[in-house]
Amino acid sequence: MTPSDRLLAAADVYHAMSEPRPFRPPLDPDLASRELRAEAIAGRLDGEAVNAVLSAAGRRAPSRREWPAGLTAREVEVLALLARGGSNKQIAQRLVVTPKTVSNHVEHIYAKLGVSSRAGATLFATQHALLGTFESA
């Protein structure tokens, strides 16, 4: 999925929440913002795309989250996919990067976590609730 695809997906979901439906009125802007952020936290929408959509809609963008062990948001994405059993190639396809980029992220993750295996990284991800609830690749 390209960055444009992710942005359009977030915009489409926000628009759907903001419009009346036959079965419900439009969601209050605050509730729609919270729901959209919940979709990002659950891994169903890209967090940066959600922030861009909410910012364009005039909603306050959240401050940057501090991740454990000094991980970046992208490293948390890679760690979650790694812990769910994805190969470097599968993770690269999912995140639209090269396998070499994923390999570099994995090296940095292992160094930051002080682990030397996927099992150690998975244990860390589980203990810190970094796996999310998104669909597998």
Side-chain angles (χ1 to χ4, degrees), residues 55-69:
S55 179
R59 310 303 300 164
R60 191 175 137 258
S63 59
R64 279 186 113 63
R65 178 173 176 187
E66 293 290 324
W67 295 103

Side-chain angles (χ1 to χ4, degrees), residues 7-61:
L7 184 61
L8 285 172
D12 182 53
V13 171
Y14 185 73
H15 181 262
M17 290 177 183
S18 303
E19 293 290 315
R21 297 293 185 211
F23 53 90
R24 64 149 176 85
L27 295 182
D28 165 64
D30 289 334
L31 179 58
S33 296
R34 285 193 304 274
E35 291 291 326
L36 198 65
R37 285 189 180 109
E39 291 295 310
I41 290 167
R44 291 184 286 270
L45 292 173
D46 180 73
E48 289 182 38
V50 164
N51 288 341
V53 167
L54 292 176
S55 179
R59 310 303 300 164
R60 191 175 137 258

Side-chain angles (χ1 to χ4, degrees), residues 81 84-87 89-95 134-137:
L81 293 168
R84 289 179 174 272
S87 68
K89 185 176 179 182
Q90 291 167 328
I91 295 168
Q93 289 172 339
R94 173 81 184 244
L95 299 178
F134 52 86
E135 302 295 320
S136 62

